[in-house]
Amino acid sequence: MTELLTFEGVVTYENRGPAAWITIERPEARNALNHAVREGLRAAYEHAAADDTAKVVVLTGSGEKAFCAGGDLKEMSDTALKVPAPDWIPQPGRTMDLGKPLIAAVNGVALAGGFLLAQCADLVVAADHATFGITEARVGRGAPWAAPLPWLVPPRIALEFLLTAAPLPAERCREVGLVNHVVPASDLVSHVQDLAETIARNAPLSVAAGKRMVYEMASHPRERAFEVAEEIWEPVYLSDDAQEGPLSFKEKRAPRWSGR
């Protein structure tokens, strides 16, 4: 049994094999992003980045109704929030470097800031009752954080999210490429754990380079993209693990990755 850590009283952290599970524990408020949750997520991500036993990070919400319903509108009203800073919600890959694959296990609604949390993940697995929506237009707020969305889904789908503020069901999100897998709610945890363990069995340098390459390609034209990809992958080719992989195949055994 691994120790359950708690950050800010509302975010828990648990090691399950090679996966670190981060859970927003505010189901009575649909796991809304108040100050405590935001700071708890920041601390949990930082802990995961430094946790050598965590090869993959999973983010989910407590309960069966909500992954995260977005910002806490009551708190936003009380503080008269105007333009939030980019790091108002911690965004791996933008405002902080997690450095490990991040899977969103979406167990219910993922709206506004909750959509943002899923968008920051590298892979998204959703329960079949989950929905995704950018609902800011309903309350007169903004969504500049959704700038990468036309890179993730077709532009007309991005426009549908932004203009209608109407959530789309998980299966539709899978069809347009926003979600990797849709599974029955009862299978969500086991499916995500299996996915995390599959990733963790692979060579860590190859996994890290693969993740980096995909995001780097978003900012380069085709010709330069190949050059950048070669730069990213050269240290992998030159690593000890690049020799260990073929050797383990030759010796008919599981590879022993060193990450070097």
Side-chain angles (χ1 to χ4, degrees):
M1 180 72 70
T2 60
E3 181 183 4
L4 186 69
L5 302 177
T6 302
F7 298 98
E8 301 293 329
V10 288
V11 174
T12 58
Y13 183 102
E14 181 182 16
N15 292 102
R16 303 179 190 175
W21 282 72
I22 297 172
T23 305
I24 304 172
E25 302 278 1
R26 204 178 173 222
E28 74 285 354
R30 299 203 300 170
N31 296 318
L33 293 160
N34 66 357
H35 178 78
V37 171
R38 298 193 307 273
E39 291 308 305
L41 285 174
R42 196 182 322 277
Y45 283 144
E46 290 173 351
H47 186 84
D51 183 355
D52 291 338
T53 65
K55 307 305 180 185
V56 180
V57 181
V58 177
L59 176 65
T60 193
S62 180
E64 300 177 353
K65 295 182 178 180
F67 171 72
C68 175
D72 188 316
L73 294 178
K74 293 180 181 178
E75 182 184 83
M76 291 165 66
S77 177
D78 290 342
T79 60
L81 179 68
K82 292 185 178 178
V83 182
D87 64 350
W88 190 74
I89 297 173
Q91 299 182 51
R94 184 188 180 197
T95 65
M96 63 187 308
D97 182 18
L98 180 58
K100 299 175 180 181
L102 174 61
I103 304 172
V106 180
N107 55 303
V109 298
L111 306 177
F115 189 109
L116 164 59
L117 294 178
Q119 178 181 273
C120 289
D122 304 305
L123 302 175
V124 178
V125 181
D128 52 11
H129 70 282
T131 58
F132 296 76
I134 300 176
T135 53
E136 276 78 352
R138 292 185 188 174
V139 292
R141 302 295 297 180
W145 51 263
L149 195 58
W151 176 75
L152 291 168
V153 300
R156 292 195 188 279
I157 301 298
L159 286 165
E160 182 176 354
F161 274 121
L162 290 161
L163 303 186
T164 68
L168 293 180
E171 182 56 32
R172 177 57 175 156
C173 291
R174 187 197 64 79
E175 291 172 353
V176 300
L178 187 69
V179 169
N180 295 92
H181 307 283
V182 176
V183 299
S186 59
D187 296 340
L188 180 64
V189 171
S190 61
H191 187 95
V192 171
Q193 183 68 24
D194 287 347
L195 182 60
E197 292 179 5
T198 296
I199 295 169
R201 284 192 292 269
N202 293 328
L205 294 179
S206 294
V207 169
K211 172 176 173 171
R212 182 184 169 198
M213 182 182 71
V214 169
Y215 293 114
E216 285 278 358
M217 295 310 99
S219 58
H220 295 289
R222 186 174 184 273
E223 182 175 349
R224 177 56 182 155
F226 282 111
E227 296 171 354
V228 172
E230 293 287 352
E231 295 167 5
I232 290 171
W233 285 99
E234 183 175 3
V236 179
Y237 284 125
L238 297 177
S239 70
D240 292 343
D241 281 351
Q243 301 304 315
E244 167 62 12
L247 180 62
S248 65
F249 178 83
K250 176 183 175 182
E251 296 180 350
K252 299 181 180 180
R253 59 172 174 81
R256 295 186 286 268
W257 307 122
S258 66
R260 299 191 302 272

